[in-house]
Amino acid sequence: MAAESEIILPAVRGRLTGQKPLAELTWLRVGGPAEHLFQPADVDDLAAFLRDLDPAVRVFPMGVGSNLIVRDGGLRAVVIRLGRGFNSIGTEGDTVTAGAAALDAHVAKRAADAGVDLTFLRTIPGSIGGAVRMNAGCYGSYTADVFVSATIVTRQGEIREITAEELSFEYRQTAFPEGAVLVSAVLRGPKGDPAELHARMAAQLQKRDETQPTRDRSAGSTFRNPAGFSSTGRADDVHDLKAWKVIDNAGMRGAQRGGAQMSEKHSNFLINTGGATAADLEGLGEDVRKKVYENSGITLQWEIMRIGDPLPE
């Protein structure tokens, strides 16, 4: 990437900020600054910016920071964060069209109001853009199951629709085009009774709060479940290959490094107990991966995205 002094940024109608601290924009509250943060006014503003931006300049689309560790040295890129103009939610029949910045929980509730079952989204932290990119899911349901199409802006500034075939949904990942920004998605769910859907979501929330450290600073599940196994929520669910189970078996529940800790309440949740650095959090995660491998031969894969540069030693 070109040095900052060499970067010529296109004119925008939105907000462009240099050396923007990213810690305040992530759920874990750690990390250094972005070289630039761009908050576009609308889709056309975003498309023109990407079209006119030097192709050598890296861009990183950032959601609400719910599944992210930004390293302490910051990020040498233009971070693109979508705001109010990208959080609309509309329903028609059994489909829901949501802006990428719309929160998963809000989409689930609006869908339920319209009698559309997207209840699995209710307890997933983050926004629809991230849900599509990472094929978010829980209780045996995934974004791939309800995905119809999405609108993206490519790195070259082209606005186009993308299909499920192009995304190649897999467990917790997609083949999302490099540098592209997702701006909206169309989802289709089964029809249901609104009252029953809201009751189901209330029960899910209660179960989540009983089993997960929802009051702590975390980024959701730290590691993917081994071999793609995922919680279904059913009574006969088997936990032999769940990430939390192999972490427990390795004796790492409650493990600490600096201000970082694997939660005592749910051992697959990495939390900032106060004053943790990104290096503490990522380092503890690597400690867990090493111990789990030594204990079981299983190599845990990060579910939390880690970006940016560490501080120089």
Side-chain angles (χ1 to χ4, degrees):
M1 179 172 174
E4 185 176 2
S5 59
E6 300 170 355
I7 298 174
I8 300 175
L9 297 174
V12 300
R13 289 181 288 109
R15 190 173 180 183
L16 194 55
T17 310
Q19 293 300 310
K20 174 67 176 180
L22 294 179
E24 63 196 55
L25 301 180
T26 70
W27 285 26
L28 282 166
R29 294 293 190 268
V30 297
E35 201 161 36
H36 300 279
L37 175 73
F38 176 42
Q39 297 163 282
D42 51 35
V43 174
D44 290 336
D45 191 31
L46 172 61
F49 178 83
L50 290 175
R51 181 195 65 216
D52 297 338
L53 182 66
D54 183 342
V57 177
R58 183 189 173 205
V59 300
F60 178 77
M62 179 177 174
V64 294
S66 60
N67 187 43
L68 187 67
I69 292 174
V70 179
R71 296 188 177 103
D72 301 304
L75 184 60
R76 297 192 67 230
V78 176
V79 172
I80 297 173
R81 195 165 194 259
L82 306 182
R84 285 185 193 168
F86 297 86
N87 64 355
S88 62
I89 305 169
T91 62
E92 183 177 351
D94 60 354
T95 64
V96 177
T97 301
L103 296 179
D104 299 333
H106 291 175
V107 173
K109 289 190 287 185
R110 184 70 63 83
D113 290 342
V116 179
D117 184 0
L118 298 179
T119 52
F120 76 95
L121 288 170
R122 180 64 182 89
T123 59
I124 296 177
S127 58
I128 287 298
V132 171
R133 287 182 66 107
M134 297 302 296
N135 192 17
C138 64
Y139 304 115
S141 295
Y142 296 89
T143 304
D145 301 329
V146 298
F147 180 84
V148 177
S149 65
T151 300
I152 66 170
V153 181
T154 69
R155 180 61 182 84
Q156 294 73 37
E158 178 191 6
I159 302 170
R160 70 177 186 88
E161 190 175 279
I162 191 168
T163 65
E165 288 72 26
E166 290 176 271
L167 285 174
S168 300
F169 285 104
E170 295 183 35
Y171 177 67
R172 294 293 189 265
Q173 61 184 324
T174 60
F176 198 82
E178 182 69 27
V181 181
L182 189 144
V183 294
S184 67
V186 179
L187 309 176
R188 176 179 290 119
K191 295 292 285 183
D193 175 71
E196 292 178 0
L197 297 176
H198 280 287
R200 185 188 307 167
M201 291 190 294
Q204 291 172 354
L205 282 174
Q206 181 178 349
K207 181 176 181 180
R208 181 196 66 178
D209 292 344
E210 289 172 353
T211 59
Q212 298 177 10
T214 53
R215 297 183 182 277
D216 294 322
R217 287 183 185 172
S218 81
S221 297
T222 304
F223 302 107
R224 301 174 185 175
N225 286 316
F229 286 77
S230 180
S231 297
T232 64
R234 296 195 304 262
D236 62 349
D237 201 5
V238 177
H239 294 273
D240 294 346
L241 281 176
K242 298 297 187 293
W244 72 262
K245 181 67 172 174
V246 297
I247 292 169
D248 277 4
N249 291 346
M252 295 300 283
R253 180 181 289 262
Q256 291 184 269
R257 177 190 277 223
Q261 182 180 25
M262 302 309 295
S263 171
E264 292 278 8
K265 190 170 188 178
H266 191 307
S267 55
N268 193 29
F269 278 67
L270 181 62
I271 60 175
N272 180 353
T273 64
T277 63
D280 290 339
L281 292 159
E282 188 171 15
L284 177 57
E286 290 299 322
D287 291 344
V288 169
R289 294 180 74 234
K290 181 180 178 182
K291 286 288 189 182
V292 167
Y293 181 77
E294 290 173 350
N295 184 67
S296 64
I298 292 172
T299 301
L300 288 175
Q301 300 298 318
W302 282 90
E303 185 163 327
I304 296 175
M305 183 180 294
R306 291 102 54 231
I307 61 169
D309 301 315
L311 284 174
E313 294 186 8

